[in-house]
Amino acid sequence: MPTATQDHLPGLEAVRLLVLPDPRAPRPPTIQERFEQFHDLNPWVLTDLERLAADCVEARFSKISIGMLFELVRYSYGRATLGGDDFRLNNDFRSRYARLLIERHPEWAPRIEVRALRSD
């Protein structure tokens, strides 16, 4: 007995267009690509994170939370500017900045928690 397929149902192509990605569409940038672009445009963010982390090390923090450092940078930036620009310190970049801090200061590695990346 031949197998029945539904490949020719009316409206199926419209559903496929809604559900399946268009193979011709450009792929969205990865988190890493977005991070690299942001970091190139905003090198001061790493400088601020590094300064704050150094303060934590000097104060003998046993653990340094990249989340806490991000919020401190957001707080400082928010107080320094009153306009409505497009600056966004995206939480997706936390793990990348944590890795940069450790790369630049390997002695901080035991204090900064880093988890496996889920995506590029």
Side-chain angles (χ1 to χ4, degrees):
M1 178 173 191
T3 51
T5 64
Q6 299 178 356
D7 288 339
H8 302 290
L9 288 176
L12 185 60
E13 191 56 37
V15 171
R16 282 190 178 126
L17 290 173
L18 291 172
V19 176
L20 299 175
D22 182 355
R24 299 165 300 191
R27 71 165 177 76
T30 64
I31 293 173
Q32 184 64 35
E33 291 167 340
R34 290 186 296 123
F35 166 73
E36 289 169 4
Q37 180 183 23
F38 178 84
H39 179 59
D40 287 345
L41 294 171
N42 300 282
W44 64 268
V45 172
L46 178 59
T47 303
D48 277 10
L49 290 171
E50 205 166 21
R51 178 184 50 78
L52 291 167
D55 289 348
C56 291
V57 168
E58 186 177 318
R60 301 183 193 271
F61 284 33
S62 59
K63 295 290 180 191
I64 301 171
S65 164
I66 192 69
M68 175 192 66
L69 300 180
F70 254 50
E71 295 308 323
L72 289 169
V73 170
R74 283 185 177 128
Y75 174 77
S76 298
Y77 184 81
R79 289 186 57 201
T81 60
L82 299 175
D85 67 340
D86 291 315
F87 174 81
R88 297 286 183 270
L89 190 53
N90 192 323
N91 284 342
D92 290 347
F93 303 157
R94 286 180 177 191
S95 62
R96 273 54 179 193
Y97 277 114
R99 283 169 174 73
L100 273 178
L101 289 172
I102 291 169
E103 182 181 307
R104 292 171 63 120
H105 301 276
E107 69 277 13
W108 294 353
R111 298 172 193 242
I112 300 174
E113 181 181 353
V114 178
R115 298 179 186 153
L117 295 176
R118 288 184 278 173
S119 65
D120 292 311

